[in-house]
Amino acid sequence: MIVTRGKQWLLLAVVLLAVTVIAACADKEAQGSQGEQTTNLSPDEILNTAFKEEFPLQYESYLKNMTPENENTSKFEVGIEPNLPMLFHNYGFMLEYNKTRGHTYAVEDVMNIKRINDDSIGSCMTCKSTAVPLLLDEMGDDYWGANFRSEILPRVLSYGEGEAVEELGEYGHLSIGCSDCHDPVTMDLRITRPSFTNAMERMGIDVTQASKNDMRSYVCAQCHVEYYFEPENKKVTFPWDNGLMPEDMFEYFENQAKEDGFEYDWIHDISGAPMLKAQHPEFELWSYGTHGEAGVSCADCHMPYERSDGKKKISSHHWTSPLDTIEQSCLTCHNDKSETYLIDRVETIQTRHLDAMEETQEHSVKAHYYVNRMITAGVPEDKIEEAQYYVRKGQWFWDIIAAENSDGFHNPQGGIDALRTSSDASNEAIRIATIELTKLDVDLEELEREIEKVVEAVYNEEDPDKKHEHAINDFFPNVLELQQ
Ligand code: HEC
Ligand code: HEC
Ligand code: HEC
Ligand code: HEC
């Protein structure tokens, strides 16, 4: 077909219009009448079970998060992340650290994890239950630092008394659910966690003005992000003022957080270093990865459209691996690729990523023990502190990546960049230690052999609860006890 220039534009306009109309229809079909909808639910409704009657299809999809065969799997197994019991020594994460499970289990899992003790605080409930926004209304800023077991948990459970249903397990009616992401009256997507709104505001972004597409990621970013407890009232705070990259957040912890009085999450008792613990930064890594930059939302991959009762199209509410729904999650955009090609691409990215991560964790283990030897050998304090800074830095840059749950897929390049920074920092700690230990004639070959022994002992212990007990011995004492 030969078209003149003018006609070309006209043709393009017609095609674009047609595409827009088709897209709009597809949206309509899935959304129902969003924005105008009025349910019979109370604006304060928080029980997942209450939504069943009006939204049976989404509720049914939500039930698929109940996959009992997904028992809590420890990350400490050899083949997963066997170095963690050493790397998180003297912190709750050395006791128990599991892979994720479905949203419906969040309340049950936070109640039972060994990291929760009698001193744990309300903030730990923040990304687990639909009751949290109501608690914040009732308690204001007292919520964050209130005692988890004696104050917060009884309040949460009191909301849903008598409402448990077998299909959602004992606590699924109150676990991450409908009201966390939807206004119960209009069913519009909404933000319910102030930590996210505040962090975005500090970056100059007003989330009340967010586009519909942005909201399809923002609802997830309420929880799937890095955070820390701000020292004054233990409020969940996102360290985003300098940006969302691992180096931006590290800079925040070294500067703004310290100015506010937050120095560390815990002190490591092998190296004595003041440490940071990173948490699940899916949103941050995604945001500067290929898909985030192209505007592909979390929901595009994790909540693809599905035909539920054979005719009506709904958004899947089973949050799991998109590789289980590759046709709806990926081929919608990558329709020039085959399913096997895409799976192969993801697996290649993930294998390379996990190999690189294991290597950086090994460097980090070595750095902790080298600094331990600096302390027992009596190296000058300023050199020890210099090495401890690099131990902290090295661990942050692998942990922020290890805590990200896509095994590198959300941002392959960003992951590898951070791991390289991690290795450089850990090796710098080892280099400083080597120079100082050599000055004191410390036997470095013996040190290497002792590290090998300790690592073996941790790996060989079969009980995940006991692995951490092997990380300290006569050769590598707890340095916090030495200092007392
Ligand atoms: C983690 C956030 C989240 C939770 C929890 C959640 N939804 Fe959704 N829901 C979404 C997103 C994202 C969409 C897509 C909306 C869009 O693109 O406008 C959606 C869409 C919907 C729609 C519009 C029709 C459709 O299928 O796209 C309904 C109705 C709905 N959800 C009901 C529910 C019900 C009922 C529950 C609880 C059982 C629930 N949702 C829990 C995020 C959530
Ligand atoms: C209110 C907090 C909260 C919100 C909102 C939230 N999540 Fe989660 N998500 C969690 C927690 C907590 C877990 C881990 C639950 C466990 O292991 O008990 C989790 C687990 C997951 C998992 C792993 C499931 C598995 O089977 O291992 C996926 C995938 C996931 N979320 C995706 C999303 C997406 C996509 C969104 C947005 C549409 C979202 N989440 C919104 C808190 C949240
Ligand atoms: C381009 C598609 C895509 C986008 C966009 C995307 N993800 Fe993922 N996500 C994946 C894939 C693929 C995996 C790896 C699944 C696997 O290993 O089986 C994954 C893994 C995860 C996991 C771990 C699941 C598990 O079983 O432990 C979580 C949690 C998660 N994504 C949350 C998010 C959040 C939150 C966003 C938005 C900020 C997001 N994802 C955006 C494709 C995507
Ligand atoms: C809404 C559209 C969309 C969806 C859905 C989507 N992608 Fe993409 N994907 C893109 C765009 C745009 C790019 C960047 C441009 C390009 O390379 O084609 C991209 C790039 C990629 C790349 C190459 C870049 C990289 O990061 O390695 C891979 C691999 C990929 N996608 C896999 C997937 C997989 C697997 C899924 C499903 C879990 C998926 N995509 C879902 C749009 C999408």
Side-chain angles (χ1 to χ4, degrees):
M1 185 171 59
I2 299 166
V3 280
T4 62
R5 219 179 158 71
K7 276 187 188 154
Q8 234 172 1
W9 285 113
L10 186 66
L11 195 65
L12 186 67
V14 170
V15 170
L16 276 180
L17 187 69
V19 169
T20 319
V21 170
I22 293 164
C25 292
D27 263 1
K28 258 269 154 50
E29 191 186 352
Q31 307 318 326
S33 49
Q34 222 190 346
E36 304 140 31
Q37 184 154 6
T38 327
T39 66
N40 295 315
L41 296 163
S42 144
D44 289 335
E45 187 56 70
I46 60 167
L47 299 179
N48 293 318
T49 38
F51 290 76
K52 178 179 180 175
E53 202 182 311
E54 291 193 57
F55 303 102
L57 301 181
Q58 282 82 8
Y59 184 83
E60 198 183 309
S61 175
Y62 179 78
L63 288 183
K64 292 189 196 140
N65 294 296
M66 300 293 293
T67 42
E69 68 274 17
N70 275 14
E71 282 288 325
N72 281 319
T73 315
S74 174
K75 293 195 185 203
F76 298 164
E77 302 298 329
V78 175
I80 306 182
E81 293 181 78
N83 294 303
L84 297 187
M86 291 170 275
L87 293 164
F88 294 130
H89 213 264
N90 198 35
Y91 198 45
F93 281 88
M94 78 174 176
L95 299 175
E96 187 177 3
Y97 197 179
N98 298 322
K99 298 186 104 178
T100 56
R101 288 210 284 174
H103 283 163
T104 46
Y105 294 105
V107 171
E108 181 184 325
D109 287 346
V110 74
M111 283 167 69
N112 295 329
I113 190 108
K114 294 191 185 73
R115 295 202 298 273
I116 291 283
N117 58 36
D118 287 341
D119 298 328
S120 296
I121 53 173
S123 283
C124 304
M125 186 61 89
T126 309
C127 61
K128 309 297 190 291
S129 172
T130 53
V132 170
L134 276 193
L135 282 181
L136 276 167
D137 273 355
E138 275 179 27
M139 303 176 70
D141 278 346
D142 292 342
Y143 158 80
W144 310 103
N147 188 280
F148 183 90
R149 278 192 181 148
S150 66
E151 242 186 293
I152 297 300
L153 197 55
R155 277 182 191 249
V156 167
L157 300 182
S158 74
Y159 283 123
E161 234 157 11
E163 298 292 340
V165 291
E166 203 182 331
E167 61 201 24
L168 277 174
E170 213 173 338
Y171 306 107
H173 57 296
L174 281 168
S175 199
I176 306 165
C178 320
S179 62
D180 284 327
C181 303
H182 294 285
D183 177 325
V185 176
T186 62
M187 290 307 277
D188 284 348
L189 292 180
R190 68 168 180 185
I191 302 298
T192 50
R193 300 303 193 272
S195 308
F196 176 67
T197 312
N198 295 341
M200 293 293 273
E201 204 174 285
R202 294 201 308 277
M203 291 196 297
I205 300 168
D206 177 359
V207 298
T208 63
Q209 302 302 312
S211 70
K212 204 167 126 101
N213 190 53
D214 286 342
M215 287 302 282
R216 290 165 56 84
S217 299
Y218 286 180
V219 285
C220 317
Q222 306 186 82
C223 303
H224 287 271
V225 290
E226 157 66 6
Y227 67 85
Y228 73 108
F229 299 150
E230 180 251 296
E232 197 186 314
N233 54 16
K234 302 290 174 202
K235 197 177 194 154
V236 172
T237 307
F238 304 170
W240 290 353
D241 298 30
N242 307 327
L244 299 183
M245 289 159 84
E247 50 269 43
D248 300 328
M249 293 191 271
F250 187 68
E251 195 193 314
Y252 177 94
F253 282 120
E254 291 304 299
N255 297 292
Q256 289 103 318
K258 282 187 177 170
E259 279 158 30
D260 285 344
F262 177 86
E263 304 260 344
Y264 50 77
D265 282 306
W266 91 105
I267 297 189
H268 208 289
D269 58 1
I270 297 174
S271 62
M275 304 297 291
L276 300 167
K277 176 75 194 82
Q279 333 281 340
H280 37 73
E282 277 82 56
F283 178 71
E284 291 91 330
L285 265 293
W286 160 87
S287 74
Y288 68 103
T290 316
H291 289 102
E293 289 200 325
V296 184
S297 73
C298 313
D300 286 337
C301 293
H302 287 279
M303 300 183 66
Y305 293 139
E306 61 182 25
R307 294 212 179 258
S308 162
D309 56 359
K311 38 188 172 356
K312 202 164 181 239
K313 220 161 67 164
I314 63 155
S315 305
S316 166
H317 281 66
H318 178 201
W319 299 275
T320 182
S321 171
L323 301 184
D324 295 346
T325 49
I326 209 152
E327 202 185 321
Q328 302 88 324
S329 288
C330 317
L331 295 182
T332 38
C333 295
H334 297 286
N335 54 10
D336 56 333
K337 302 280 194 313
S338 72
E339 210 171 304
T340 37
Y341 171 85
L342 283 177
I343 290 185
D344 185 57
R345 278 302 305 149
V346 176
E347 282 175 358
T348 306
I349 290 168
Q350 291 183 328
T351 310
R352 288 179 52 188
H353 174 90
L354 291 174
D355 285 351
M357 198 175 77
E358 188 168 346
E359 220 177 285
T360 57
Q361 290 178 339
E362 283 165 9
H363 294 158
S364 206
V365 165
K366 211 166 138 173
H368 280 290
Y369 285 113
Y370 265 69
V371 176
N372 182 283
R373 194 72 189 93
M374 288 173 97
I375 296 167
T376 56
V379 163
E381 196 57 40
D382 61 326
K383 290 293 169 190
I384 293 173
E385 278 174 19
E386 202 185 327
Q388 283 169 336
Y389 165 80
Y390 286 108
V391 169
R392 165 180 164 110
K393 182 173 177 183
Q395 181 140 337
W396 164 261
F397 277 91
W398 65 252
D399 192 18
I400 192 75
I401 298 306
E404 207 281 341
N405 285 296
S406 73
D407 296 340
F409 175 76
H410 291 149
N411 189 339
Q413 190 60 50
I416 294 294
D417 287 347
L419 293 178
R420 198 175 24 190
T421 308
S422 166
S423 274
D424 287 351
S426 299
N427 285 328
E428 183 59 15
I430 295 168
R431 194 186 67 85
I432 295 166
T434 306
I435 292 172
E436 296 305 316
L437 293 172
T438 308
K439 282 186 200 160
L440 298 178
D441 276 337
V442 170
D443 183 346
L444 293 177
E445 279 175 20
E446 180 191 34
L447 173 57
E448 288 281 336
R449 279 196 308 274
E450 289 295 333
I451 293 176
E452 252 174 61
K453 272 201 247 167
V454 104
V455 169
E456 281 295 302
V458 171
Y459 283 19
N460 289 340
E461 169 62 60
E462 282 179 10
D463 183 350
D465 294 359
K466 295 212 173 98
K467 281 175 174 283
H468 67 89
E469 291 170 12
H470 301 279
I472 274 185
N473 58 25
D474 289 342
F475 193 86
F476 295 119
N478 175 332
V479 296
L480 304 182
E481 281 169 9
L482 285 185
Q483 281 161 6
Q484 276 164 12

